[in-house]
Amino acid sequence: MCMSFMPVRASIRALPELQLRGLKWTVAHAYNNSPFYRKKLDDAGVNPSRIRSLDDIVRLPLLTAQDLREDYPFPLRSVPFEKIVRIHASSGTTGKRKVLCYTQKDIDDWADMFARCYEMAELTREDRVQIAVGYGLWTAGVGFQMGCERFGALVIPVGPANAEMHCQLLEDMQSTVFCSTASMALLMVEEIERRGIQDRIALKKFIFGAERHSRRMRQRIQEITGAEHLFDIPGLTELYGPGMGLECMAHEGVHYWADYYILEILNPETLEPVLPGEVGEMVVTTLRKEGSPLIRYRTRDLTRFIPEPCRCGNLLPRHDHILGRSDDMFIFRAVNIYPGQIEHVLAQIPGVGSEYQVHLFRREDGRDIMHVKVEARPGNGSPDEVSHLAEEINTEFRRQIMVRAQVEIVEYNTLPRSERKSKRVYDHRTDD
Ligand code: DLL
């Protein structure tokens, strides 16, 4: 049996005390060791000695991705260089990368948190874990690997190699767990189906994250492989990397590691806490991170707390899947739309496949047009079926999102598949 990385009942009872200790430590550590944080806290008129209860967290100033970019190349660094053993960076589509520093203790804490993910997914040391996410500056590959080694299962560290190599290893190594981005999981199972090797592989579980996935994607993955469990895994570079929580065996949301970070959910406009169960932006404060601690970091990710006790029996608190990002929202004819709403509508319509794309155009007369390409499910291709499907999608868009779109049904497997994070919304309104 593996050693347990899960906190026991007594330590859950002591969680508020542990969080307060961690919060006080983090604020003092950042204030005393990072000129950036010292200035930020001084500007906000907060002295670390004023943090006396968990409620005092709201006095602390919020931190944004912009702050990290301005303090480039070592933002938030709160230890001398001799204590830093590694950096990671997010790819940063806009401007400078976000670079984060790790001490050896940070790396160990991250490995322990990730080992807890595998424990929660009920792996054993007999499991063989094929890792299909990128290694390097990105936190993904090394995160999945370290956690697996700490847990004690066998790692097959492939990275996002070609589907050929993955399929061969799935057969030869008889891998039981596949770890990837959500897009890569879909791409792989479609390849497994195309090759007809379902009976020659031993996959039982998928752990995927790095981007949102739809119910349809889950269905396809389970249909093709017969996998028993699929687990959504969240994480971000700023907060160690992947493995900051995991969807549980009851598949009702994500348990997160409240003994390593405090999660607040704020209304992104008023920046006030939302009511329990309401959707808002995830704001995180680390409790033990040395290299680049986070104090009230605005992640831009949207979710909600799930306040009820979980059926799976795990006592750690829960949030819902990440429902979108506050900066993913686009405005179409004065309606605010999140890609998640589009997915939600599509997921309700039988006959729709797992991929879609939204293209936004502006006509010469200034009117905006939304063109949605939707893949049909395999075998739903007759002209009658196609026109019926397009009509149904259009009706539901009008009813549920209150927009009128041009819907084009395309054949299954014609929209691009990605090994990394997929882009599904293309706004051409600002193209020249
Ligand atoms: O994507 C870390 C990761 C790698 C997580 C592999 C899980 C698996 P970044 O590149 O810094 O880190 O991107 C972080 O990706 O703020 C979310 O917007 C999004 N994201 C990550 N996991 C999920 C998920 C990695 N499970 C950003 N569901 C985050 C939805 C996710 N979005």
Side-chain angles (χ1 to χ4, degrees):
M1 218 20 227
C2 310
M3 91 188 229
S4 180
F5 295 93
M6 209 69 80
V8 293
R9 195 168 283 276
S11 55
I12 295 284
R13 273 198 298 272
L15 194 57
E17 197 187 309
L18 182 139
Q19 287 189 329
L20 179 58
R21 226 181 317 128
L23 178 64
K24 285 181 175 174
W25 176 83
T26 298
V27 177
H29 170 65
Y31 187 82
N32 294 330
N33 298 296
S34 152
F36 170 84
Y37 266 128
R38 177 175 285 246
K39 176 166 185 328
K40 198 166 172 74
L41 290 164
D42 279 344
D43 287 351
V46 187
N47 188 284
S49 61
R50 288 187 60 196
I51 305 296
R52 298 202 184 99
S53 79
L54 283 176
D55 295 336
D56 289 331
I57 197 166
V58 297
R59 298 166 181 263
L60 295 165
L62 291 156
L63 182 71
T64 63
Q66 193 50 36
D67 288 325
L68 266 68
R69 295 210 172 88
E70 273 164 23
D71 198 29
Y72 186 83
F74 295 107
L76 320 181
R77 183 174 63 88
S78 302
V79 293
F81 281 108
E82 71 212 40
K83 283 199 74 186
I84 299 172
V85 298
R86 195 194 292 170
I87 60 149
H88 280 290
S90 71
S91 51
T93 42
T94 50
K96 290 177 190 150
R97 292 173 196 285
K98 289 174 262 175
V99 183
L100 283 301
C101 305
Y102 298 69
T103 65
Q104 187 56 51
K105 180 176 178 298
D106 295 336
I107 299 279
D108 288 339
D109 284 347
W110 181 18
D112 285 344
M113 279 188 273
F114 215 131
R116 188 186 278 175
C117 295
Y118 291 118
E119 183 182 350
M120 216 170 94
E122 297 191 2
L123 267 66
T124 72
R125 285 187 170 173
E126 303 295 312
D127 272 298
R128 298 178 181 185
V129 182
Q130 188 156 322
I131 295 175
V133 281
Y135 283 77
L137 272 184
W138 199 27
T139 49
V142 71
F144 275 95
Q145 175 159 347
M146 281 187 321
C148 191
E149 288 167 353
R150 181 68 53 100
F151 176 76
L154 186 154
V155 184
I156 305 161
V158 192
N162 55 42
E164 169 79 39
M165 188 193 284
H166 271 295
C167 284
Q168 196 184 346
L169 287 163
L170 284 177
E171 276 194 55
D172 296 352
M173 299 296 137
Q174 290 291 288
S175 313
T176 52
V177 182
F178 192 78
C179 301
S180 64
T181 61
S183 301
M184 178 66 173
L186 181 69
L187 188 137
M188 272 310 297
V189 299
E190 287 178 339
E191 188 61 24
I192 289 168
E193 185 180 48
R194 201 179 63 77
R195 290 167 184 249
I197 57 170
Q198 292 93 319
D199 294 341
R200 303 211 293 271
I201 61 173
L203 279 180
K204 290 194 189 64
K205 292 175 182 167
F206 282 78
I207 302 179
F208 51 72
E211 56 181 350
R212 264 174 319 110
H213 65 271
S214 63
R215 190 142 48 93
R216 271 291 135 76
M217 285 166 87
R218 291 181 85 100
Q219 277 169 0
R220 288 291 293 148
I221 294 167
Q222 248 163 340
E223 251 166 41
I224 296 174
T225 59
E228 291 156 18
H229 290 283
L230 313 181
F231 301 97
D232 183 13
I233 188 165
L236 62 160
T237 314
E238 298 88 309
L239 182 64
Y240 300 92
M244 296 304 108
L246 193 81
E247 175 176 336
C248 63
M249 291 295 276
H251 304 289
E252 289 174 1
V254 171
H255 290 270
Y256 70 92
W257 312 151
D259 45 347
Y260 286 84
Y261 64 97
I262 295 176
L263 175 64
E264 296 173 84
I265 300 190
L266 306 185
N267 177 317
E269 269 142 42
T270 63
L271 300 176
E272 293 295 322
V274 296
L275 295 173
E278 256 178 34
V279 173
E281 180 177 328
M282 299 170 88
V283 172
V284 290
T285 301
T286 54
L287 300 171
R288 352 178 162 185
K289 200 162 181 271
E290 295 179 335
S292 310
L294 297 182
I295 298 178
R296 303 196 86 201
Y297 179 65
R298 294 188 61 180
T299 65
R300 303 283 168 185
D301 290 322
L302 300 170
T303 193
R304 60 185 189 99
F305 283 121
I306 305 181
E308 300 80 29
C310 186
R311 277 197 305 128
C312 81
N314 189 313
L315 300 168
L316 281 160
R318 259 186 312 164
H319 64 72
D320 205 341
H321 297 276
I322 294 174
L323 307 169
R325 290 181 56 84
S326 57
D327 46 11
D328 261 0
M329 188 196 77
F330 59 90
I331 301 178
F332 175 72
R333 297 190 190 168
V335 181
N336 296 355
I337 303 173
Y338 287 101
Q341 290 174 280
I342 298 194
E343 269 156 40
H344 183 73
V345 170
L346 295 177
Q348 300 159 12
I349 302 175
V352 167
S354 49
E355 278 302 309
Y356 73 93
Q357 276 185 357
V358 175
H359 293 266
L360 302 165
F361 299 98
R362 181 153 297 152
R363 284 196 327 211
E364 298 240 311
D365 63 3
R367 214 168 151 68
D368 286 355
I369 304 290
M370 178 153 84
H371 184 91
V372 187
K373 293 186 184 184
V374 182
E375 270 189 13
R377 273 174 86 92
N380 276 263
S382 78
D384 259 8
E385 277 166 345
V386 164
S387 87
H388 178 73
L389 199 53
E391 218 168 279
E392 201 179 345
I393 294 171
N394 227 322
T395 311
E396 288 310 310
F397 276 165
R398 281 206 301 273
R399 204 171 64 81
Q400 300 190 37
I401 325 182
M402 276 157 317
V403 295
R404 210 176 271 273
Q406 297 172 344
V407 178
E408 181 189 355
I409 306 296
V410 298
E411 245 177 68
Y412 176 70
N413 220 344
T414 47
L415 292 176
R417 265 62 176 157
S418 163
E419 291 165 0
R420 298 172 185 269
K421 305 191 190 208
S422 288
K423 179 171 164 68
R424 298 195 174 86
V425 178
Y426 296 82
D427 195 340
H428 308 281
R429 291 175 297 186
T430 47
D431 294 356
D432 283 323

